[in-house]
Amino acid sequence: MGLLDRFSRTFDKHGYDLDGYDKKGYNKKGYDKNGYDKDGYNKNGYDKDGYNKDGYDEKGYNKDGYDKKGYKDGYDEDGYDFKGYNKDGFNKNGYDKNGYDKDGYDENGYDLDGYDENGYDENGYDSNGYDENGYDSNGYDGLGYNHLGYDKEGYNQEGYNKFNKKKNEVHSD
């Protein structure tokens, strides 16, 4: 703006002053002296705060930090990514990509080794092959006795069978 033009503000036949701005302060391309159009956006389409007409910045995030799909730093308002997992790798039901929860049990209640939270497999046996009562699949405990107290040969811990015969007795006929 020339010295004389500051006071008189003369405009050419197209409506622009000596500096190239119209009466409202916009140049021929529609921008003011600060580089913003009449709607308040610069030539790249962003306002003074750095947001476009849709409310997103150059990186694609709105004022709250969410992108167009509703994800903040890759996560939605509830904290899940586009695949449905949170920062810890678990979905809304509490399971990871392999179907295990934070304690290592899958949706069926068994861990990677096939045991539930009590240490039993799907057949009810622990890692040593015993059920919750202490018996193996054949019905014998760790010492080799069944629930009646007899071993595989039919003798109890004292060495007697159900007929009260001693294991080491010699049969004489």
Side-chain angles (χ1 to χ4, degrees):
M1 222 191 251
L3 181 60
L4 188 61
D5 195 40
R6 274 190 200 150
F7 300 110
S8 65
R9 283 237 36 216
T10 57
F11 297 94
D12 64 15
K13 64 180 179 178
H14 300 287
Y16 296 98
D17 64 14
L18 293 173
D19 290 328
Y21 293 94
D22 63 15
K23 290 180 181 179
K24 293 183 179 177
Y26 296 99
N27 65 19
K28 293 178 182 177
K29 293 185 177 182
Y31 295 99
D32 65 15
K33 292 177 182 176
N34 295 320
Y36 294 95
D37 64 15
K38 63 182 178 181
D39 295 325
Y41 296 97
N42 65 20
K43 64 180 179 178
N44 294 323
Y46 295 97
D47 64 16
K48 293 175 183 174
D49 295 325
Y51 296 96
N52 65 18
K53 291 178 183 179
D54 296 324
Y56 296 96
D57 64 16
E58 289 180 0
K59 293 182 180 180
Y61 295 98
N62 66 17
K63 292 177 183 177
D64 296 325
Y66 292 96
D67 66 15
K68 292 177 183 178
K69 294 181 181 177
Y71 295 97
K72 184 173 190 173
D73 297 324
Y75 297 93
D76 66 13
E77 293 174 338
D78 297 324
Y80 296 94
D81 65 15
F82 72 97
K83 290 185 178 181
Y85 294 95
N86 64 18
K87 290 181 180 181
D88 297 324
F90 297 100
N91 64 21
K92 291 179 181 180
N93 295 323
Y95 298 102
D96 67 12
K97 294 174 186 174
N98 297 317
Y100 294 97
D101 67 15
K102 64 181 173 62
D103 297 321
Y105 298 99
D106 63 23
E107 296 177 59
N108 298 324
Y110 298 99
D111 65 14
L112 285 170
D113 297 321
Y115 297 99
D116 66 16
E117 60 185 6
N118 297 318
Y120 296 101
D121 66 16
E122 61 184 4
N123 296 315
Y125 296 100
D126 65 15
S127 62
N128 296 316
Y130 296 99
D131 66 19
E132 61 184 23
N133 296 318
Y135 297 101
D136 65 16
S137 61
N138 294 318
Y140 295 96
D141 64 17
L143 297 173
Y145 296 97
N146 66 18
H147 70 283
L148 297 174
Y150 296 101
D151 64 14
K152 291 178 183 177
E153 295 174 355
Y155 295 94
N156 64 20
Q157 289 181 342
E158 288 82 37
Y160 292 96
N161 65 14
K162 64 182 178 180
F163 302 110
N164 212 19
K165 298 266 184 183
K166 189 104 170 124
K167 186 176 189 176
N168 296 332
E169 286 183 10
V170 179
H171 299 299
S172 57
D173 289 329

